[in-house]
């Protein structure tokens, strides 16, 4: 394989595209309900959305193939779903909490620091990161800074919570890297949402209480969008797209959500872009291109040999 097939790159980019256009729904959704209630609702919507997909894929399998599935595979699937769900639930709750105490720009920049944390974590799992990939990470971080930051980078309470969120998202990426080649990605994604939903529900009951039904009904649009598309579809695409991909490269592609969110505001909402933001976008895209060069050259060398 096959370090980064074009199909996987496209799937991961589509994931970033969906995430980048979902920030409006997340912000509007919390006008009437708390962050934990919003996370609980979107997680369960994401899980319920995937149930028909899981059932459909299961029916397409022959009875023989269904019976051939060993119990060990089911245990691995459940373990992977639970681990992904815990990491996702913790990351989402920390992010929603942190956003209340910091600016959107700083939250976006600090969250995307998983592009630095992932390769560091990867070293503990013998994931090699070459010089060009490290250069790509540095260029991407600088691009993100230009894109998201307008003030000084001083860590306050909200910033620290979002930084912990970036660590949790990094763990989520590494867990997917480990389990995705071993299990059905759609099933694992479905499990992760119900686990994340339960975790968010515990936080909701402890910090916010049960939200009023009227408030939930008023927020149904953002919840449905964030739950079905941003969660159910995008996180499932992440699991499928990450299969067999270097987690550092995957984190770089996924970080394009910050670029896409700015571009979406420019194209759809007619928000202006400064020359600083344009340079940040260019550096981010340049970092992704640079990250691909080592893999392509290596594959070419193998083909010639």
């Amino acid at each position: 394989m096959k370090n980064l097939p074009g199909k996987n790159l496209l799937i991961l980019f589509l994931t970033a595209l969906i995430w980048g256009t979902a920030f409006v729904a997340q912000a509007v959704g919390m006008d009437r309900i708390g962050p934990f209630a919003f996370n609980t609702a979107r997680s369960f919507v994401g899980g319920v959305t995937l149930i028909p997909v899981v059932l459909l894929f299961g029916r397409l399998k022959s009875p023989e193939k269904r019976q051939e599935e060993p119990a060990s595979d089911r245990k691995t699937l459940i373990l992977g779903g639970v681990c992904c769900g815990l990491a996702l639930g913790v990351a989402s709750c920390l992010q929603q909490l942190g956003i209340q105490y910091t600016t959107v720009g700083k939250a976006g920049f600090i969250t995307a620091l998983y592009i630095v944390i992932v390769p560091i974590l990867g070293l503990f799992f013998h994931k090699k990161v070459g010089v060009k990939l490290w250069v790509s990470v540095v260029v991407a971080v600088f691009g993100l800074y230009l894109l998201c930051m307008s003030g000084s980078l001083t860590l306050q309470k909200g910033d620290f919570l979002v930084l912990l969120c970036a660590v949790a998202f990094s763990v989520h990426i590494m867990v997917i890297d480990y389990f995705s080649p071993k299990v059905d990605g759609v099933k694992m994604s479905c499990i992760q949402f119900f686990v994340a939903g339960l975790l968010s529900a515990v936080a909701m009951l402890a910090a916010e209480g049960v939200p009023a039904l009227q408030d939930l009904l008023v927020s149904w649009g953002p919840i449905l969008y964030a739950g079905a598309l941003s969660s159910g579809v995008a996180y499932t695409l992440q699991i499928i797209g990450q299969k067999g991909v270097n987690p550092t490269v995957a984190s770089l592609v996924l970080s394009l959500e910050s670029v896409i969110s700015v571009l979406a505001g420019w194209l759809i909402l007619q928000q202006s872009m400064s020359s600083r933001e344009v340079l940040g976008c260019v550096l981010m895209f340049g970092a992704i291109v640079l990250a691909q060069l080592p893999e392509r050259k290596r594959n070419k060398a193998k083909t010639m040999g």
Side-chain angles (χ1 to χ4, degrees):
M1 200 172 135
K2 331 164 189 148
N3 288 316
L4 188 59
K7 180 180 70 173
N8 294 62
L9 176 62
L10 182 61
I11 291 173
L12 289 173
F13 178 76
L14 183 57
T15 302
L17 179 65
I18 295 172
W19 285 346
T21 55
F23 283 116
V24 174
Q26 289 180 246
V28 174
M30 289 188 293
D31 285 346
R32 297 289 294 269
I33 59 178
F36 295 133
F38 182 78
N39 275 342
T40 300
R42 71 176 289 188
S43 295
F44 282 124
V45 168
V48 171
T49 301
L50 290 180
I51 290 177
V53 181
V54 171
L55 294 176
L56 177 61
F57 284 1
R59 292 201 173 197
L60 293 176
K61 287 184 180 179
S62 63
E64 293 78 13
K65 284 189 176 181
R66 275 179 251 168
Q67 291 177 353
E68 285 174 4
E69 185 180 351
S72 59
D73 286 356
R74 297 191 196 100
K75 290 181 181 178
T76 303
L77 172 65
I78 293 172
L79 179 61
V82 170
C83 290
C84 281
L86 290 174
L88 179 60
V90 169
S92 299
C93 288
L94 286 171
Q95 186 181 53
Q96 295 302 117
L97 269 178
I99 284 176
Q100 296 179 101
Y101 305 105
T102 189
T103 63
V104 174
K106 288 180 75 173
F109 173 72
I110 296 172
T111 299
L113 287 180
Y114 59 69
I115 63 178
V116 178
I117 301 170
V118 165
I120 294 174
L121 290 179
L123 295 176
F124 295 97
F125 297 94
H126 310 290
K127 299 285 184 182
K128 294 182 180 180
V129 178
V131 175
K132 285 191 177 180
L133 204 49
W134 276 115
V135 172
S136 299
V137 169
V138 173
V139 172
V141 171
F142 186 57
L144 277 167
Y145 181 83
L146 294 177
L147 189 66
C148 302
M149 295 295 296
S150 57
S152 61
L153 184 57
T154 54
L155 285 181
Q156 305 296 331
K157 173 185 176 182
D159 305 326
F160 182 69
L161 289 171
V162 178
L163 182 60
L164 292 178
C165 151
V167 174
F169 272 129
S170 301
V171 172
H172 184 247
I173 289 173
M174 296 305 298
V175 170
I176 291 175
D177 177 67
Y178 179 80
F179 283 103
S180 61
K182 302 175 174 23
V183 300
D184 183 300
V186 179
K187 288 182 180 178
M188 185 168 77
S189 186
C190 186
I191 294 171
Q192 81 166 343
F193 287 125
F194 285 110
V195 173
L198 287 172
L199 187 64
S200 298
V202 171
M204 176 190 72
L205 293 174
E208 301 169 357
V210 180
L213 180 60
Q214 179 63 28
D215 292 335
L216 284 172
L217 292 175
V218 170
S219 307
W220 73 269
I223 289 173
L224 187 61
Y225 183 88
L229 195 60
S230 180
S231 293
V233 175
Y235 278 107
T236 304
L237 287 175
Q238 180 195 1
I239 290 175
I240 296 171
Q242 255 194 254
K243 192 172 184 177
V245 174
N246 185 307
T248 301
V249 177
S251 68
L252 282 169
V253 178
L254 293 173
S255 69
L256 286 176
E257 66 172 295
S258 299
V259 175
I260 292 166
S261 65
V262 173
L263 291 176
W266 175 55
L267 291 172
I268 301 172
L269 303 177
Q270 284 79 50
Q271 295 175 344
S272 61
M273 285 183 67
S274 66
S275 56
R276 174 192 174 107
E277 290 173 324
V278 172
L279 178 58
C281 291
V282 171
L283 288 175
M284 284 292 297
F285 280 113
I288 303 302
V289 173
L290 179 60
Q292 304 315 305
L293 296 180
E295 284 74 22
R296 288 175 181 173
K297 288 182 178 179
R298 201 174 298 125
N299 287 340
K300 184 177 179 181
K302 287 181 181 179
T303 303
M304 291 175 66

